[in-house]
Amino acid sequence: MSPDDKTSIVDAAKKVLDGNARDGYTAPGAGLYPHQWLWDSCFVAIGLSHYDPERAQKEILHLLKSQWHNGMIPHMVLDEGLAHRADREFWRSYVSYDSPDKVATSGITQPPMLAEAIVRIGARLKKAERRSWFLKVYKQLVAYHQWLYNERDPHQEGLTLQVHPWETGMDNTPPWMSELHSHQQNWWIRLVAKLRLDSVVTIFRRDRHLALPGERLSSIDALALYAVQHRLRRKQYNIDKIISHSMLSIEDLAFNSILVRANQHLKDIAKEIREELPEELLQSINKTEAALDQLWDPYTGQYYSRNFASHDLIKISTIATFLPLYAGSITKERADQLAGLLKTSKRFHPRFPVPTVPTDSKYFNEHRYWQGPVWMNMNWLIIDGLERYGHKELAAKLKEKSLEMVEKSGFCEYFSPHDGSGAGVKNFSWTAALTIDLLSN
Ligand code: GLC
């Protein structure tokens, strides 16, 4: 790519982030995504840090304002406008005593990318500014990590559990959908399926305007996700009640891999500002690195998510198998094995890697959301991990392919691994932000 091409792509990406700027935060995309989302804002802040660290800091501070009294950072901070009343009523965060007093939010979290964003912003600041930035956010970041262990690792095993596929950020990823369907379905969902009323449901879906047929979840899957949310709300988002009713809970591989890296960043932040992390938190942190290895299956040579109650690995292959590279805690030997899988297996390495499920999977569909398409944030995490494990060439190739996709199709939400064509929302914030990051490093 010539320097001029680079400049014009970066300029176009900045325009996307300006177009999606709202009052204090950046929405993921116009129309379908009007609110602030946790990991979206972290990726956005990483992009912004290269040219506007002040706005990047504001993005994170806006997110922190929504922190629950128990320490949770919710996955969505809901827009206050009249137009979004229905969304606020859908979540009703006020049913929990732990919810914040002045902001309406969702009642669940999302992958803990916060520490990464904080550190990346810090890297763009001078030493004194960086220290005061870290000091400003430290307490809340610690409280968030403490919440993750206190509430989501009830047996103190080192792995945290998630209670809704939305918490993984990969809404219809096959391991979760398969666990969801193996749970008792609500009678009304079974009825809708039996009477084939799902086409009626489709009329009311917000994402029905997206161009390609079959590129989102089926209406039955979407209803199943709403039903889980409804049950969580009925339990006032209280984890003890949720677990005691043996509701859907999974120790998600991608989430926990991201947590391992976030913990490392948290330790680095504490060191730089000469703070001591609470002893109990440190003990949990140490357990997570070892626990991640329990998700490895030697027979298939891959990592998987695990059912929280039964401890059975959910052996359905997805892109998450590569996220321990990003975690950075696995052995060099294991990392080489994963890099080898990514490089040599055609099913994980089509023309535009990395597909969210391998191309020979029964779930694969080149355009269907988290069941096939390539997402820029996933590629970014894998590139980062590969680089740290010394697989520079593979990382560079993945980076080149990711940028080629954007050059070809624009800042789409996701892309076909076969031909790089774009799908989902156009002018998607994290695609733009991470393009800036990849081009700036
Ligand atoms: C979708 C994605 C999720 C993202 C959200 C906002 O729900 O699956 O990862 O955070 O949209 O962009």
Side-chain angles (χ1 to χ4, degrees):
M1 198 184 288
S2 73
D4 280 353
D5 287 346
K6 262 192 190 175
T7 313
S8 70
I9 293 182
V10 169
D11 286 347
K14 288 182 185 170
K15 268 202 193 121
V16 168
L17 296 181
D18 284 347
N20 290 337
R22 302 288 178 268
D23 193 11
Y25 68 94
T26 311
L32 196 57
Y33 300 121
H35 308 288
Q36 182 175 29
W37 267 262
L38 195 171
W39 76 335
D40 295 67
S41 275
C42 295
F43 292 124
V44 163
I46 290 168
L48 287 174
S49 71
H50 289 281
Y51 66 99
D52 192 348
E54 203 177 312
R55 182 171 154 199
Q57 290 175 48
K58 283 192 185 142
E59 185 83 30
I60 297 302
L61 293 175
H62 191 273
L63 192 59
L64 289 177
K65 267 197 236 156
S66 72
Q67 185 162 38
W68 283 35
H69 298 303
N70 58 7
M72 180 176 84
I73 308 283
H75 99 297
M76 287 167 80
V77 186
L78 303 171
D79 185 275
E80 291 171 356
L82 222 78
H84 303 299
R85 228 177 108 184
D87 291 344
R88 295 193 293 273
E89 203 34 35
F90 174 76
W91 281 103
R92 289 181 219 166
S93 46
Y94 56 80
V95 298
S96 167
Y97 287 121
D98 290 320
S99 64
D101 310 324
K102 296 193 179 125
V103 204
T105 74
S106 69
I108 56 174
T109 193
Q110 233 183 1
M113 286 300 304
L114 198 56
E116 176 82 74
I118 289 170
V119 164
R120 297 261 175 174
I121 295 170
R124 307 270 148 226
L125 303 172
K126 296 205 182 87
K127 195 167 178 196
E129 286 177 331
R130 177 164 62 245
R131 280 180 57 90
S132 64
W133 164 237
F134 286 171
L135 280 165
K136 198 181 245 173
V137 293
Y138 178 71
K139 263 200 184 141
Q140 285 189 268
L141 186 61
V142 170
Y144 179 43
H145 283 238
Q146 284 177 314
W147 172 82
L148 281 165
Y149 286 106
N150 291 344
E151 296 236 333
R152 299 310 188 83
D153 182 16
H155 303 154
Q156 296 171 8
E157 295 173 305
L159 293 175
T160 60
L161 65 94
Q162 286 66 53
V163 294
H164 195 293
W166 289 334
E167 290 204 304
T168 73
M170 295 187 258
D171 306 12
N172 64 337
T173 186
W176 276 85
M177 294 321 290
S178 119
E179 288 285 296
L180 187 56
H181 291 306
S182 67
H183 267 64
Q184 177 73 6
Q185 285 278 13
N186 286 41
W187 64 266
W188 50 271
I189 299 184
R190 276 183 280 139
L191 191 69
V192 169
K194 198 166 169 199
L195 300 179
R196 294 176 195 270
L197 288 173
D198 36 328
S199 52
V200 179
V201 175
T202 309
I203 299 172
F204 296 100
R205 283 178 59 178
R206 249 194 222 172
D207 56 4
R208 66 188 180 281
H209 300 301
L210 290 172
L212 300 164
E215 70 167 80
R216 305 296 270 204
L217 294 82
S218 70
S219 285
I220 293 296
D221 281 355
L223 283 177
L225 297 196
Y226 286 126
V228 179
Q229 187 278 342
H230 190 69
R231 269 180 266 154
L232 296 173
R233 192 178 73 198
R234 269 207 326 259
K235 303 281 169 247
Q236 292 135 338
Y237 307 111
N238 176 310
I239 198 68
D240 296 329
K241 292 185 191 164
I242 292 167
I243 294 174
S244 66
H245 282 75
S246 54
M247 286 162 62
L248 180 72
S249 38
I250 292 175
E251 292 159 334
D252 185 76
L253 168 60
F255 192 106
N256 281 286
S257 298
I258 291 173
L259 176 60
V260 171
R261 183 76 182 136
N263 284 335
Q264 185 54 51
H265 284 314
L266 176 61
K267 285 200 246 176
D268 293 344
I269 293 170
K271 195 166 163 202
E272 178 144 3
I273 55 175
R274 295 195 197 98
E275 286 280 348
E276 297 276 336
L277 284 171
E279 189 48 41
E280 213 178 312
L281 178 58
L282 273 175
Q283 281 174 15
S284 301
I285 287 178
N286 290 338
K287 273 189 204 154
T288 305
E289 296 195 0
L292 195 68
D293 263 347
Q294 294 168 16
L295 304 181
W296 173 255
D297 172 51
Y299 304 104
T300 52
Q302 288 190 46
Y303 283 95
Y304 300 99
S305 294
R306 185 167 83 174
N307 180 300
F308 168 70
S310 69
H311 269 198
D312 290 336
L313 292 182
I314 309 163
K315 292 193 194 169
I316 302 175
S317 232
T318 70
I319 193 169
T321 196
F322 299 112
L323 285 220
L325 286 165
Y326 173 73
S329 59
I330 58 173
T331 60
K332 174 83 172 86
E333 196 187 351
R334 192 66 64 72
D336 292 350
Q337 208 172 332
L338 288 178
L341 177 70
L342 178 56
K343 197 170 162 181
T344 55
S345 114
K346 254 201 131 312
R347 56 204 198 103
F348 274 121
H349 208 115
R351 200 169 139 217
F352 290 92
V354 182
T356 33
V357 303
T359 54
D360 61 352
S361 159
K362 70 170 181 184
Y363 296 97
F364 179 81
N365 173 324
E366 66 178 308
H367 290 125
R368 194 184 299 132
Y369 220 31
W370 294 94
Q371 297 189 354
V374 185
W375 289 72
M376 187 58 115
N377 66 334
M378 286 288 125
N379 279 14
W380 186 91
L381 293 167
I382 296 170
I383 292 167
D384 187 68
L386 285 170
E387 276 173 353
R388 276 182 285 117
Y389 275 105
H391 287 278
K392 306 265 181 217
E393 216 177 288
L394 185 56
K397 182 152 182 235
L398 197 49
K399 182 167 158 178
E400 190 191 305
K401 285 286 178 180
S402 309
L403 293 171
E404 197 183 318
M405 234 165 40
V406 168
E407 263 190 294
K408 186 175 166 30
S409 307
F411 303 104
C412 292
E413 192 179 1
Y414 41 94
F415 303 85
S416 158
H418 289 324
D419 60 10
S421 56
V425 166
K426 294 198 169 54
N427 296 326
F428 192 62
S429 291
W430 83 40
T431 308
L434 296 176
T435 298
I436 295 175
D437 185 72
L438 290 181
L439 284 173
S440 309
N441 285 329

